Amino acid sequence: MSVQKPSIPKGTRDFSAIEVIRRDFIFDTIKQVFRLFGYQPLETPAMENLSTLLGKYGEEGDKLLFRILNSGDFMSAADGRDLNSMNSSELSTLICEKGLRYDLTVPFARYVVQHRNEIVFPFKRYQIQPVWRADRPQKGRYREFFQCDADVIGSDSLLNEYELVRIIDEVFKRLRINAVIKINNRKILTGIAEVIGEHERFQDLTTAIDKLEKTGIEDVMKDLSDRGFSASSIDRLKPFINLSGNNSEKLAKLSEMLEASSEGQKGIGELKELFALFGFGPLSSEPELDITLARGLNYYTGAIIEVKAKDVVIGSICGGGRYDNLTGVFGLDGVSGVGISFGADRIYDVMSQLNLFEDIEASITQVLVLNFGPASTRFCQQLLDVLRSLSIVSELYPDPVKLKKQLAYADARKIPYVIMAGEDEIKQNLLTVKTMSTGEQRKITAEEFASFAESHFRRMT
Amino acid sequence: MSVQKPSIPKGTRDFSAIEVIRRDFIFDTIKQVFRLFGYQPLETPAMENLSTLLGKYGEEGDKLLFRILNSGDFMSAADGRDLNSMNSSELSTLICEKGLRYDLTVPFARYVVQHRNEIVFPFKRYQIQPVWRADRPQKGRYREFFQCDADVIGSDSLLNEYELVRIIDEVFKRLRINAVIKINNRKILTGIAEVIGEHERFQDLTTAIDKLEKTGIEDVMKDLSDRGFSASSIDRLKPFINLSGNNSEKLAKLSEMLEASSEGQKGIGELKELFALFGFGPLSSEPELDITLARGLNYYTGAIIEVKAKDVVIGSICGGGRYDNLTGVFGLDGVSGVGISFGADRIYDVMSQLNLFEDIEASITQVLVLNFGPASTRFCQQLLDVLRSLSIVSELYPDPVKLKKQLAYADARKIPYVIMAGEDEIKQNLLTVKTMSTGEQRKITAEEFASFAESHFRRMT
């Protein structure tokens, strides 16, 4: 038999025990908070019809879809056509009907249209599932990764934005990450474009401004000039970029600066209402108004939200905003909403760097009971029953091999405690508990064991 | 814009809120028990290299793999070859390098070989992930479904079988399903084939016997005769099929009947040891020795395990066994182990039919706070903060629309309680709690609210 050196496709990952447990902690935390706020779970298939996916992510996105070959005799679909004359795109259309989910938004839109008659609006749904993109893999960018989205559709109320910010705050509080929530409104950006006289170059303006944090003001100015912005409009933009003060000071100044733009005034009105709501609740810290926040995304129509970690230099760990017409492409108009999405991989990196995972690893074996052969098995099994009834993760070493080998296993698995009960000890109803980190051993009686375990070993949460 | 009628690929499913919550309850229960017994989680990518998957599931299995089209200009790989002359299989090999995970066993074997130098043996891993098969969809059979596997490799001890049976017992106890665990041993089946003189037709024998429960003894005899078994060997088989008594009576009889087979005696020895272990622990009920249990699977070498629900007629809800040489196909010999797999879809059906889900739906909104406009928002928000701090899933209706519409929303969402606090009530520091099922309304003061909520509303677990 030929021996293969096994590997996995580039851009994909295996997750080992400790990684799965840490990732589950992040996903479960997000899920719990989504649920607490009344968002309902949805799960959609990994595969969607290509007709659902194609054309929804732009030309570039179409190329990044993973397509699934039709099963069975797909060549019969060629039906005499000359395959050799086709390019990859033509052939793939002929032999593939399905593709892997590229994000959670299009499947959500598809679901809403498909079930429009059963859904009660406003519809608050969350979805935590993997997506696949045939992107060039690089550091921090994978071909398979999870998205964690919550959206509410069918309501224009700013209370939705407020609650989503509360959700963000609660999630990061529970994860013990110091987060800065930044807020903007697309209408402010439109207003700025109007009053500096560059309304027609709105897209260029936001693309350039979006790089402010990365490249600095000089580069943004140069970029705008390269894009054909006049010196006078760039001059008029500067006071916006240099806007300072606390949120209400900024809003007051903006109100004057955008006096000439009714769209801008609308944006200010929405922001004032939203920041008034922030005043209500016990947020960890007040979100920051950042009028340079554009998120490079064209489809936001109202609030724009971005979250950064205070203590780690990394991209945004959560983002979102309000959008119009989620389902128009499927023939259902007038469905607008607002949503957020957590970046689980970046959150994982932040928590690793800040050592925030230390307390959650009680789901890894805490106690190994050593195996001294059949005569001691029943005694050992009773100890395990006690431990497990206390939700303490524990194992019996399955084979009665040499002590040294069993201890090496405990060591390699980083199991903090080992229990030894040889025949002589069992006769005296005794057992020994060894703390692996210190080597310390103490003898206790079988009767003491339950209360000892309860006070010394960590329970699975 | 062309309007699409959206749909999903056949054999796949969308899961709505209530379905996700119920499924999560099943998966979380299984996961918790796996962890409690020291099994460590593993997650592998949805996509594996086809070289990893092909040839592992037989010819039929290869056909059922979902293959993923190479991204980019895959046609360039054709490199002048005549595509029109190729059949589907040849072409797919040329243009696909990856396929979707077909089960969790092959990715596990691949992982073990790839990480052989880091893994500490015995290695206990569990894995709960979806798999994909291009099977013809039919009732209860899907193209995307979850598997929930636990395996331990690198230990021959029967304590592993015992612990897996304990895991099965604990899972079904927690799910409140009355389960019957049936046990057999491949060596018993080999022994039977030997003593009836049909050792060479072992596979035929087990395939026929496996249908006993479905078709009855007469059909099995006829089937065996059709497969060329002599009348005398069929006669010699009958006492095995008719074996009766409790487990130890069966084992005693078997010991005599299989006296001539050393393999059979080995099987009896293993079963005696295992049933002695069952005597130790607090199992809900003793597993049943069923020597007709074959599970149609060729690769089991020792214990064979199957679980049925007592109160619902449905196929097996869990199964497993001991196997040799998990990783030989990847060039690593001598890795044997034992594992089990839970059938989540069937467990879901059993629990639905027995109404076992009723208590777990507190993750669906319990309380809707009605919206009487901006003046009452702050008051309402404080009520929500109280509810959420108590882990009671609650929402504020986001728009101040007509009362009737808000109540219709609560009704359609099956939200059990509604809270109303209009301007007049707020002035008096009062609010009204309405029980949707009865229409009953009661007024309470804001001060009473927290203790009222605590004693009346269900908390998310």
Side-chain angles (χ1 to χ4, degrees), chain A residues 7-16 19-20 23 27 130-132 137-147 344-346 348-349, chain B residues 42-48 101 110-111 114-115 127 129:
Chain A
S7 63
I8 53 177
K10 63 177 177 179
T12 69
R13 294 168 286 178
D14 286 320
F15 295 106
S16 66
E19 290 166 319
V20 174
R23 286 165 57 87
F27 293 135
V131 301
W132 295 270
Q138 56 187 65
K139 190 176 178 311
R141 191 201 281 163
Y142 304 99
R143 292 185 147 195
E144 174 180 58
F145 59 97
F146 270 73
Q147 292 194 327
D345 283 311
R346 285 210 184 132
Y348 186 97
D349 290 344
Chain B
L42 170 68
E43 284 182 15
T44 63
M47 300 184 268
E48 293 275 352
R101 188 167 54 214
R110 188 267 308 149
Y111 178 85
Q114 196 177 335
H115 299 271
Q127 193 168 354
Q129 289 192 283

Side-chain angles (χ1 to χ4, degrees), chain B residues 250-277:
Chain B
K250 281 184 186 168
L251 280 170
K253 286 183 203 166
L254 264 184
S255 193
E256 288 174 28
M257 293 158 79
L258 292 178
E259 210 175 357
S261 161
S262 68
E263 189 71 1
Q265 291 300 324
K266 243 193 235 166
I268 290 167
E270 288 180 10
L271 282 171
K272 280 186 176 161
E273 193 180 331
L274 187 55
F275 278 93
L277 289 170

Side-chain angles (χ1 to χ4, degrees), chain B residues 134-178:
Chain B
D135 248 324
R136 198 165 50 82
Q138 56 186 67
K139 191 178 176 311
R141 191 200 282 161
Y142 304 99
R143 295 188 142 192
E144 173 179 58
F145 60 97
F146 270 72
Q147 292 193 328
C148 313
D149 288 12
D151 291 83
V152 47
I153 54 173
S155 165
D156 294 331
S157 167
L158 286 167
L159 283 167
N160 298 302
E161 277 84 340
Y162 168 62
E163 289 238 311
L164 287 171
V165 168
R166 289 289 303 271
I167 285 175
I168 293 170
D169 185 68
E170 182 68 26
V171 164
F172 289 120
K173 208 182 282 171
R174 291 185 184 199
L175 296 178
R176 298 188 293 147
I177 293 174
N178 288 319

Side-chain angles (χ1 to χ4, degrees), chain A residues 103-382:
Chain A
D103 72 0
L104 303 178
T105 306
V106 167
F108 173 47
R110 189 266 309 149
Y111 178 87
V112 169
V113 177
Q114 197 177 333
H115 299 272
R116 60 214 280 180
N117 297 323
E118 306 133 48
I119 290 173
V120 190
F121 293 94
F123 182 45
K124 297 160 79 173
R125 89 87 175 76
Y126 78 83
Q127 193 168 355
I128 300 179
Q129 291 192 281
V131 301
W132 295 270
R133 299 182 180 181
D135 248 324
R136 198 164 52 81
Q138 56 187 65
K139 190 176 178 311
R141 191 201 281 163
Y142 304 99
R143 292 185 147 195
E144 174 180 58
F145 59 97
F146 270 73
Q147 292 194 327
C148 313
D149 288 12
D151 291 83
V152 46
I153 54 173
S155 164
D156 293 331
S157 167
L158 287 167
L159 283 166
N160 297 301
E161 277 84 340
Y162 168 62
E163 290 237 312
L164 288 170
V165 168
R166 288 290 302 273
I167 286 175
I168 294 171
D169 184 69
E170 184 67 26
V171 164
F172 289 119
K173 209 182 283 172
R174 292 185 183 198
L175 296 176
R176 297 188 294 147
I177 293 174
N178 289 318
V180 188
I181 304 175
K182 295 182 177 186
I183 305 275
N184 196 9
N185 191 300
R186 158 74 173 257
K187 299 186 179 84
I188 299 288
L189 293 168
T190 306
I192 294 173
E194 279 177 21
V195 302
I196 69 169
E198 295 283 1
H199 188 45
E200 273 150 40
R201 272 190 280 236
F202 177 77
Q203 185 58 38
D204 281 342
L205 176 68
T206 54
T207 310
I209 280 187
D210 204 37
K211 293 181 188 136
L212 192 61
E213 203 180 346
K214 247 189 213 158
T215 63
I217 191 160
E218 290 311 316
D219 280 19
V220 169
M221 297 297 149
K222 192 181 167 306
D223 185 13
L224 286 170
S225 167
D226 291 348
R227 288 169 190 265
F229 282 60
S230 69
S232 75
S233 61
I234 293 179
D235 263 355
R236 269 171 290 178
L237 177 63
K238 276 184 191 161
F240 287 101
I241 290 182
N242 292 322
L243 191 70
S244 64
N246 63 30
N247 292 327
S248 54
E249 286 164 358
K250 281 184 187 169
L251 280 169
K253 284 183 204 165
L254 265 184
S255 192
E256 285 173 30
M257 292 159 79
L258 292 177
E259 210 176 356
S261 160
S262 68
E263 190 73 0
Q265 290 301 324
K266 246 193 234 167
I268 290 168
E270 290 180 10
L271 283 171
K272 281 187 174 160
E273 193 179 331
L274 187 55
F275 277 93
L277 289 170
F278 294 149
F280 283 11
L283 287 168
S284 306
S285 61
E286 199 192 24
E288 287 176 15
L289 172 61
D290 180 353
I291 62 162
T292 67
L293 181 64
R295 285 187 64 73
L297 291 170
N298 231 339
Y299 54 81
Y300 290 133
T301 56
I304 303 172
I305 304 168
E306 186 172 82
V307 186
K308 297 260 186 171
K310 255 184 201 149
D311 308 315
V312 177
V313 180
I314 201 165
S316 78
I317 52 179
C318 179
R322 181 170 280 278
Y323 48 80
D324 275 345
N325 209 10
L326 173 74
T327 53
V329 72
F330 295 112
L332 180 62
D333 281 325
V335 177
S336 68
V338 52
I340 54 173
S341 183
F342 287 89
D345 283 311
R346 285 210 184 132
I347 292 173
Y348 186 97
D349 290 344
V350 168
M351 293 183 67
S352 299
Q353 285 187 47
L354 300 176
N355 275 320
L356 297 176
F357 284 123
E358 52 189 343
D359 285 346
I360 60 160
E361 280 147 32
S363 337
I364 295 282
T365 301
Q366 296 297 299
V367 183
L368 178 72
V369 180
L370 299 196
N371 190 328
F372 291 93
S376 67
T377 306
R378 183 184 283 255
F379 185 82
C380 292
Q381 197 58 51
Q382 284 164 348

Side-chain angles (χ1 to χ4, degrees), chain B residues 179-230:
Chain B
V180 188
I181 303 176
K182 296 182 177 186
I183 305 275
N184 195 10
N185 191 301
R186 159 73 174 258
K187 298 185 179 87
I188 299 288
L189 293 169
T190 306
I192 294 174
E194 278 176 23
V195 302
I196 69 169
E198 296 282 3
H199 187 46
E200 273 151 39
R201 272 192 279 238
F202 176 77
Q203 185 57 40
D204 280 343
L205 176 68
T206 53
T207 308
I209 280 186
D210 204 36
K211 294 184 187 134
L212 192 61
E213 204 180 345
K214 246 190 214 159
T215 63
I217 192 160
E218 292 310 317
D219 280 19
V220 169
M221 299 298 150
K222 191 179 169 306
D223 185 14
L224 286 169
S225 166
D226 292 347
R227 288 169 190 265
F229 281 61
S230 71

Side-chain angles (χ1 to χ4, degrees), chain A residues 373-437:
Chain A
S376 67
T377 306
R378 183 184 283 255
F379 185 82
C380 292
Q381 197 58 51
Q382 284 164 348
L383 300 179
L384 284 170
D385 287 343
V386 168
L387 290 170
R388 288 169 183 163
S389 71
L390 294 169
S391 293
I392 294 160
V393 179
S394 45
E395 324 177 20
L396 174 64
Y397 194 92
D399 304 275
V401 297
K402 282 193 182 134
L403 199 64
K404 202 178 155 190
K405 191 171 176 192
Q406 298 189 45
L407 287 170
Y409 173 86
D411 217 39
R413 288 279 314 280
K414 298 190 175 61
I415 298 175
Y417 298 96
V418 153
I419 288 174
M420 297 174 280
E423 275 185 66
D424 289 347
E425 281 173 306
I426 292 173
K427 273 177 203 151
Q428 302 170 60
N429 218 21
L430 285 176
L431 56 108
T432 301
V433 180
K434 177 173 180 166
T435 307
M436 292 297 283
S437 59

